[in-house]
Amino acid sequence: GASVKHNNDGGDCDASLNPFAQQIQYLTTGDVRAGRKIWWSYGATWIEEPSITWAMRWDEYLSTSVADSNAKVHWEYIIVSLIITICMTFVASINLLRALHRDYNRYNSPDPDENQEEIGWKLVHADVFRPPVHAKTLSAIVGTGVQITLMVITIIFFALLGLLSPAARGMLLTAVILMYVLLSITSGYVCGKLLMMFEQKEWRAVFLCGTLFPGAIFGMYLFIDILNYHAGASDSVPFTKLLLLFFLWVGISIPLTVIGASFAFRQPAIEPSVKIGRLAREVPEQRVQHSVPFIWLLPPLAPLGCAMLELKFIYASVWQGMVYYVFGFLAIVFVVWCITAILTTLVVVYYMLCYENYHWWWSSLIIPGGMGLHLMAYSVYYYSTQTDINGFTGTLIYFTVMWTVSLMYGIVSGTLGFISSLAFARTIYSNIKLD
């Protein structure tokens, strides 16, 4: 092979150029040593394929998706996850119902010999709905979790309808931002209802709900943009776009949060199922398997395990250039993950109450997701074994993004656990007789 010696910046490189003609001058090593300026040029010929229609133009790219190439593995994993979830649901439900039926028979028995002493979860009935420490922060986190959960459900629904195609670049991120902003009213409403239930109605907690997580996201995004700009990356966001995001947060999201909280403050507060005692009872010393470190570290592994394969596909699409579009699989795994997170939390909270530990508020938030620590640990493993990210800037961006995703995972899973535990506690304590 040889290189053509162009006399200008590819100006003579057109369709009429014959590189095999006798009059063509070729570039030699002597020209390079003499310091001759080298012009680089290339040509491309586009051939129309009549068999490919406009609607099928992305099929070639989508077929390279790791999720698509492993469809059989995908289905097998989902089927196994469904079987495990159904069995877990059946076993947990049967055990809980049997235990509750036995407890109800003992607590509501007319025989004074059987009901002469309160034991188990009935013993803490006067403390189970006592407001927790840092109730305002808890209300803000749960309100944010409801907002993120509804955003995820909405995005998956639109993706299932085919409205968020990989062919439209940026559409997914735009939809995430818009849905998060518009659903801010739900976070304010839930935060307000919880503040009313805890008898700690304060607007500062509402503003905390509207600024805590969005502020962390905006700070992370600004930090990554500064790193990209310093590294000369082409995907650094202009300052005007950052101002637009800031306006969406301060000008739309926070006001919607305040509006949602104002609706909640005008409504009656959620009343506890049983009366709260004046003095808090002391929590007895717990066994190792019922201690706080144990229940915060081990149970989160169950929900994370049922979504591990899907997480691997999503990570590959974000950090390894793969295309992810199998939203049907994602919807099924999301439902399985929600059921597993809720069941795991209910079982642990029930046994906490049975062993007279009524500090379940924060535990129900941490049990299903560990506040994202387990997902962050998996992200560290994925970085060390699956990615080819080199350099300090790339590594810093990876861990900044994954810290944010892990925090979001912990908030969403914790919200599912908290709401299901609250409904569970209200249900069981409303069905017992108290003197």
Side-chain angles (χ1 to χ4, degrees):
S3 299
V4 177
K5 184 190 296 184
H6 295 291
N7 295 321
N8 51 40
D9 190 6
D12 56 349
C13 184
D14 52 22
S16 61
L17 178 65
N18 183 9
F20 303 102
Q22 296 295 330
Q23 67 273 20
I24 294 297
Q25 295 182 350
Y26 296 101
L27 192 67
T28 64
T29 56
D31 296 327
V32 177
R33 294 192 183 97
R36 179 181 177 86
K37 193 173 183 179
I38 301 176
W39 303 97
W40 298 93
S41 62
Y42 70 94
T45 302
W46 301 96
I47 301 176
E48 182 180 0
E49 180 58 56
S51 61
I52 300 179
T53 62
W54 174 258
M56 300 170 57
R57 67 191 187 281
W58 269 81
D59 289 358
E60 186 65 26
Y61 297 97
L62 298 181
S63 62
T64 62
S65 168
V66 63
D68 181 74
S69 60
N70 293 275
K72 182 179 179 181
V73 177
H74 225 146
W75 275 115
E76 291 177 352
Y77 180 81
I78 287 180
I79 292 174
V80 172
S81 299
L82 284 174
I83 294 175
I84 294 175
T85 303
I86 292 173
C87 294
M88 180 179 176
T89 303
F90 179 77
V91 173
S93 301
I94 292 299
N95 289 336
L96 278 179
L97 290 175
R98 289 182 61 184
L100 288 172
H101 180 70
R102 183 178 63 252
D103 294 340
Y104 284 144
N105 289 338
R106 182 172 66 249
Y107 297 155
N108 298 329
S109 175
D111 188 354
D113 294 333
E114 294 185 11
N115 199 19
Q116 61 182 352
E117 183 181 359
E118 292 183 351
I119 59 175
W121 53 268
K122 185 182 179 182
L123 188 61
V124 295
H125 66 85
D127 299 282
V128 68
F129 294 110
R130 189 178 301 279
V133 295
H134 308 298
K136 301 171 188 176
T137 305
L138 178 63
S139 302
I141 293 176
V142 174
T144 302
V146 171
Q147 179 183 2
I148 300 175
T149 304
L150 293 177
M151 178 200 71
V152 172
I153 294 174
T154 306
I155 293 299
I156 293 178
F157 176 74
F158 286 152
L160 290 175
L161 296 179
L163 301 178
L164 299 177
S165 172
R169 298 185 60 186
M171 181 179 291
L172 179 61
L173 182 59
T174 302
V176 168
I177 295 175
L178 291 180
M179 293 310 304
Y180 181 84
V181 170
L182 294 177
L183 289 170
S184 298
I185 192 170
T186 60
S187 66
Y189 181 80
V190 173
C191 179
K193 294 294 289 185
L194 292 177
L195 290 173
M196 293 283 287
M197 183 180 67
F198 295 142
E199 298 181 352
Q200 299 190 24
K201 176 182 175 181
E202 286 190 16
W203 285 105
R204 287 185 300 176
V206 176
F207 280 100
L208 179 66
C209 178
T211 58
L212 184 61
F213 183 75
I217 293 295
F218 185 80
M220 179 274 299
Y221 197 75
L222 180 62
F223 176 71
I224 291 180
D225 190 60
I226 293 175
L227 291 178
N228 286 331
Y229 180 79
H230 182 266
S234 59
D235 58 348
S236 59
V237 181
F239 183 71
T240 54
K241 296 294 181 63
L242 292 176
L243 285 180
L244 177 60
L245 292 176
F246 185 78
F247 170 75
L248 289 174
W249 172 30
V250 177
I252 300 179
S253 179
I254 293 180
L256 286 177
T257 304
V258 174
I259 292 174
S262 64
F263 286 151
F265 288 160
R266 293 191 184 98
Q267 296 180 354
I270 301 175
E271 297 294 335
S273 301
V274 292
K275 186 178 180 180
I276 300 176
R278 297 178 60 182
L279 299 177
R281 64 181 291 114
E282 183 179 355
V283 178
E285 184 178 354
Q286 301 291 304
R287 300 178 181 177
V288 176
Q289 63 269 29
H290 301 122
S291 61
V292 172
F294 184 86
I295 64 177
W296 286 13
L297 290 177
L298 190 60
L301 296 176
L304 184 63
C306 73
M308 188 63 69
L309 183 64
E310 204 66 28
L311 283 175
K312 182 179 179 180
F313 291 145
I314 295 175
Y315 275 41
S317 68
V318 175
W319 300 110
Q320 294 181 279
M322 300 295 181
V323 179
Y324 186 89
Y325 74 102
V326 283
F327 297 107
F329 288 125
L330 179 62
I332 297 175
V333 173
F334 179 74
V335 172
V336 172
W337 174 78
C338 290
I339 296 174
T340 307
I342 291 173
L343 287 175
T344 303
T345 309
L346 293 183
V347 171
V348 176
V349 168
Y350 171 75
Y351 283 103
M352 285 181 62
L353 296 176
C354 287
Y355 286 92
E356 304 175 22
N357 184 0
Y358 56 87
H359 298 304
W360 61 272
W361 300 97
W362 281 101
S363 294
S364 66
L365 186 74
I366 298 176
I367 286 169
M371 289 309 293
L373 294 179
H374 300 72
L375 182 61
M376 191 64 200
Y378 174 74
S379 301
V380 174
Y381 167 78
Y382 188 88
Y383 171 82
S384 60
T385 59
Q386 301 294 326
T387 65
D388 295 324
I389 300 176
N390 298 317
F392 175 77
T393 302
T395 301
L396 195 59
I397 290 176
Y398 174 87
F399 283 105
T400 303
V401 172
M402 295 319 303
W403 172 82
T404 307
V405 173
S406 301
L407 179 62
M408 187 182 303
Y409 172 87
I411 292 176
V412 172
S413 58
T415 300
L416 293 174
F418 178 87
I419 294 178
S420 59
S421 298
L422 178 59
F424 174 73
R426 289 178 58 84
T427 301
I428 64 174
Y429 281 98
S430 62
N431 292 309
I432 59 174
K433 295 190 304 182
L434 298 173
D435 296 334

